[in-house]
Amino acid sequence: MSKIIPFKAVRPTRDKVSLVAARSYQSYTKEQLESRLRDNPFSFLQIVNPGYRFDKDISGEARYSLVKNRYLEFKEDGIFKQDETPCYYVYRIVDREQQEFNGIVAATSALDYETDVIKKHEDTIAYREIIFKDYLKTVGFNAEPVLLTYPDNAVIDSLIKKIQKERAEFEFTTTYRDTHYLWKVDNPKIIEAIQKEFENIPTIYIADGHHRSASSYLLYKDLMDANPDHQGDEPYNFFMSYLIPESDLQIHAFNRLVKDLNGLSKEEFLIQLDTFYRIENRGSMPYQPSKKHHFSMYLDGDFYSLYLRKTIYQIETSLDGLDSQILYKTILNPILGIEDLRNDQRITYINGKKDLVNIKSSVDSGESKVGFVMLPVCVEEMKQIAEDGLTMPPKSTYIEPKLRSGVTIYEF
């Protein structure tokens, strides 16, 4: 049973929301960040990068305190206002390719995370969890929802469609040409219907935001232990999420680039590959794999197809059958000597939405030696990994939608 509840969001005013909304801080280049901080005083980036005002890089607790100060200033200046009653927020994104994402922004139970009602499919790094937990504890708010997915549900779908017939509270288009819509749901009967329907869903899945979920859970544990009057309904018992049906989720592959062949010549490398794969040279034209356990490789000016020899590689678990795991177990680790996929500087990742030309260019320029392309993970694979209590290799999925920070804010 999933506990998904309404909350009192802090939101930008309608006339400012398009200026406030920002992508994830890490997604901007240095030049883009400088431009937005210089030209847009309302951007949420002004809050999360408070050192810009002092022309100084600030980190740690000093930065966290300044982030809180900038946030309070946005509230004092009337840029942000808090809703008076708990609400759900129906959120729709239509991207530049006309893909639609429809879901509900709500508060999700940290206890559900603890008891595995909310299931995970990725490992997290402990020190990153703690850093973000400390950040949340100091600033007192979270501005970027965790992306969760649930099995398609006809009742929730009909409620969302009914709400979307009304005028949206927010409607704005980004410079990426994605259009965002938000409807505030404050009707008690509709709130009750949504909440009860989610209670009938036994399991929901983290699609994107494993570190944010883990940090929010650590914050819940800290604040619960520090509160002798803990009741279980305090805001810190929950974290903000954007819940969308599985059919709306878009999963792309993360392709791999490796800087060298681990001391092997091209011929020696191909000979070692032959142990696990039937190899065909496809020439210089970009070549995409056509099915699972089938990879495209770009090496020394040519694309190759790699067909897994199933008599050699044994699939015993759901993780064994994942293409990113197969690539690691048959090539990246045993042949190229890469053990730590998260930290090894010899490997880089390119999300599968980008053209194969990006891989070709990296290899042709000498920046990388070889590139690998695979098909994306499907929703059922992701769910099975989570159900089995296993975790995918890092950068196994590039998941959409990507949300904007600062549109809805959850205070602890």
Side-chain angles (χ1 to χ4, degrees), residues 82-127:
Q82 187 167 29
D83 288 320
E84 295 181 357
T85 60
C87 304
Y88 287 120
Y89 302 90
V90 167
Y91 203 108
R92 181 188 188 201
I93 303 171
V94 182
D95 71 13
R96 67 171 74 187
E97 295 161 357
Q98 297 305 301
Q99 293 181 115
E100 294 189 14
F101 308 96
N102 296 278
I104 296 174
V105 178
T108 310
S109 170
L111 189 59
D112 282 353
Y113 180 90
E114 180 179 75
T115 58
D116 219 27
V117 171
I118 299 172
K119 291 189 178 291
K120 314 94 180 165
H121 67 264
E122 284 186 7
D123 271 333
T124 53
I125 302 172
Y127 81 86

Side-chain angles (χ1 to χ4, degrees), residues 60-65 67-68 126-141 211-212 214-220 222-223 412:
E61 285 293 335
R63 173 176 170 263
Y64 305 163
S65 295
V67 167
K68 183 174 184 178
Y127 81 86
R128 287 183 59 192
E129 295 176 15
I130 294 169
I131 287 173
F132 193 58
K133 182 261 293 183
D134 292 342
Y135 168 83
L136 293 175
K137 185 182 287 189
T138 299
V139 303
F141 69 86
H211 280 92
R212 276 172 280 142
S215 300
S216 296
Y217 172 71
L218 292 178
L219 179 70
Y220 149 74
D222 273 10
L223 296 181
F412 306 113

Side-chain angles (χ1 to χ4, degrees), residues 261 266 269-270 297-304 363 369-370:
L261 296 182
K266 171 185 171 181
F269 175 61
L270 289 171
M297 178 179 74
Y298 186 66
L299 172 68
D300 194 27
D302 288 321
F303 282 91
Y304 295 80
V363 174
K369 190 68 176 180
V370 62

Side-chain angles (χ1 to χ4, degrees), residues 1-31:
M1 185 174 83
S2 306
K3 189 171 185 179
I4 311 295
I5 67 170
F7 69 101
K8 299 178 183 178
V10 175
R11 299 184 288 116
T13 56
R14 185 180 295 182
D15 63 319
K16 298 290 194 307
V17 62
S18 63
L19 298 170
V20 170
R23 302 198 313 270
S24 172
Y25 180 80
Q26 292 81 8
S27 69
Y28 292 94
T29 65
K30 184 178 179 180
E31 293 74 18

